[in-house]
Amino acid sequence: MLRRRLADTSTKIGVGANRAAVGSSMLQKYGHVDPCDAFCREKLACNRVASGKSAKIGVAILDDGMQHRSLLRDVEIVMVNGLTPWGNTHFIPRGPMREPLSALTRADIVVIHHADLACEAQLETIARTVQDSGTTCSVFFSKLAPSHIFEVHQPLQRLSLNVLDGMIVLCVSAIGCPDAFIHTVREIGPLNVDRLDFSDHHFFNDYDLELIQERVRQLVDQHNKQTVVLVTEKDYDRDPDFLRMLGLKVWVLSSSLQIMPLKEQGEDELLRKLKDIITATRHVVQP
């Protein structure tokens, strides 16, 4: 998904079990520049059209790396799900927590995601809990904004969201927060929205294929209208071949994270904060 989304940029994407080793090898391969120099909006804009082979690395982003304690980092960004921020408050395996909330003192920035789906009181409670942990970090808010739709056989296609108008839609997903996906689809405005939720990271199988096909047949009989299966981009890239085998009209909803301008903390303030932190630390990673 990232390779498709960032194909027109100079971004390099590394994949591997040892992400620190992968990142180090990529820094050696492509070279790197001072992060303070790289992290200005003008330079980032230039990188969009720079040659993917010649552009050096200015910023390395490690996904899901807060517990990689031995890895030196300039900025620690923690994402919090605004719908279920701390789960049942228990640690793995009894719950989703990996560390106590006091670990947030290591964070430079906290982003409360799905903020558009949570009420103001809930957002206030989450922000207060973050501050009560002892951290002095900045808190921002984000949402998932749908951009376009593509058909499973045409991933570079960009259909307007209004193609869902008047449609019967079966949302099929295997993601961590399916409620946000369903809410987003309903906001777009199809005639009727049904859902089939699977566990996060689930790999679809033959039984799932029959289950989805049967649910579509039921919806067609019930509404006497054509039904489209709608999946997230994450589900599409996990197993596009399975979705192509369904023998149904299957579309993919493409969305992007957007920083919401809440409490005078918008995208400009986030970029300014990141630049200030990087400029202050002035760490240059040595490959």
Side-chain angles (χ1 to χ4, degrees):
M1 181 179 72
L2 290 175
R3 288 192 179 100
R4 183 173 60 253
R5 290 286 196 94
L6 301 171
D8 63 339
T9 75
S10 59
T11 304
K12 285 87 174 170
I13 298 174
V15 179
N18 188 333
R19 289 169 291 177
V22 172
S24 179
S25 67
M26 294 180 72
L27 290 171
Q28 293 177 354
K29 179 178 180 179
Y30 297 105
H32 60 86
V33 297
D34 189 313
C36 302
D37 184 49
F39 200 83
C40 67
R41 186 166 290 187
E42 293 78 14
K43 290 292 179 72
L44 289 176
C46 289
N47 275 349
R48 179 164 287 276
V49 295
S51 167
K53 295 183 179 180
S54 62
K56 295 183 178 180
I57 295 173
V59 177
I61 301 175
L62 176 64
D63 173 52
D64 197 19
M66 189 178 184
Q67 281 72 46
H68 201 317
R69 300 292 292 274
S70 64
L71 187 69
L72 179 68
R73 75 285 310 275
D74 297 289
V75 186
E76 187 85 82
I77 302 174
V78 176
M79 299 289 295
V80 176
N81 187 337
L83 297 180
T84 56
W86 325 117
N88 60 5
T89 73
H90 289 299
F91 297 108
I92 293 173
R94 287 185 63 199
M97 300 285 285
R98 301 182 186 181
E99 295 186 78
L101 289 175
S102 58
L104 290 174
T105 56
R106 304 201 309 271
D108 298 292
I109 293 170
V110 168
V111 179
I112 301 175
H113 192 41
H114 299 313
D116 57 323
L117 306 183
C119 65
E120 185 174 352
Q122 185 174 355
L123 295 178
E124 289 282 358
T125 299
I126 298 172
R128 193 181 312 114
T129 301
V130 171
Q131 299 301 333
D132 289 347
S133 71
T135 184
T136 58
C137 68
S138 299
V139 177
F140 294 86
F141 304 86
S142 66
K143 66 177 182 179
L144 204 58
S147 57
H148 65 278
I149 289 170
F150 63 85
E151 199 267 338
V152 288
H153 295 282
Q154 303 182 63
L156 299 182
Q157 185 182 48
R158 294 182 67 91
L159 298 174
S160 171
L161 297 176
N162 61 22
V163 296
L164 294 180
D165 290 351
M167 298 284 288
I168 307 299
V169 175
L170 174 62
C171 292
V172 177
S173 65
I175 56 178
C177 191
D179 287 346
F181 174 44
I182 301 301
H183 176 86
T184 299
V185 175
R186 285 179 174 149
E187 287 290 301
I188 295 173
L191 180 64
N192 183 279
V193 178
D194 199 1
R195 62 193 292 175
L196 268 179
D197 302 336
F198 297 86
S199 59
D200 194 17
H201 304 296
H202 174 78
F203 279 89
F204 297 117
N205 53 46
D206 291 342
Y207 174 78
D208 301 329
L209 185 146
E210 295 176 2
L211 182 65
I212 295 170
Q213 290 174 333
E214 176 58 28
R215 182 65 67 86
V216 169
R217 281 193 290 268
Q218 292 173 356
L219 290 171
V220 171
D221 291 341
Q222 179 182 351
H223 298 280
N224 197 27
K225 286 181 68 72
Q226 185 180 29
T227 297
V228 60
V229 174
L230 190 67
V231 301
T232 69
E233 214 168 349
K234 178 180 177 181
D235 292 307
Y236 166 79
D237 280 296
R238 188 185 301 112
D239 194 348
D241 291 335
F242 170 85
L243 296 173
R244 293 177 184 130
M245 288 192 310
L246 280 173
L248 303 168
K249 183 184 286 295
V250 183
W251 288 346
V252 184
L253 179 64
S254 183
S255 302
S256 298
L257 183 143
Q258 286 186 358
I259 299 298
M260 300 173 62
L262 292 179
K263 304 184 184 302
E264 300 181 354
Q265 294 281 69
E267 183 177 351
D268 289 342
E269 288 73 24
L270 174 61
L271 291 174
R272 191 178 303 116
K273 181 67 176 179
L274 287 171
K275 186 177 179 181
D276 289 346
I277 295 171
I278 290 177
T279 301
T281 56
R282 294 196 64 83
H283 288 153
V284 178
V285 178
Q286 297 296 326

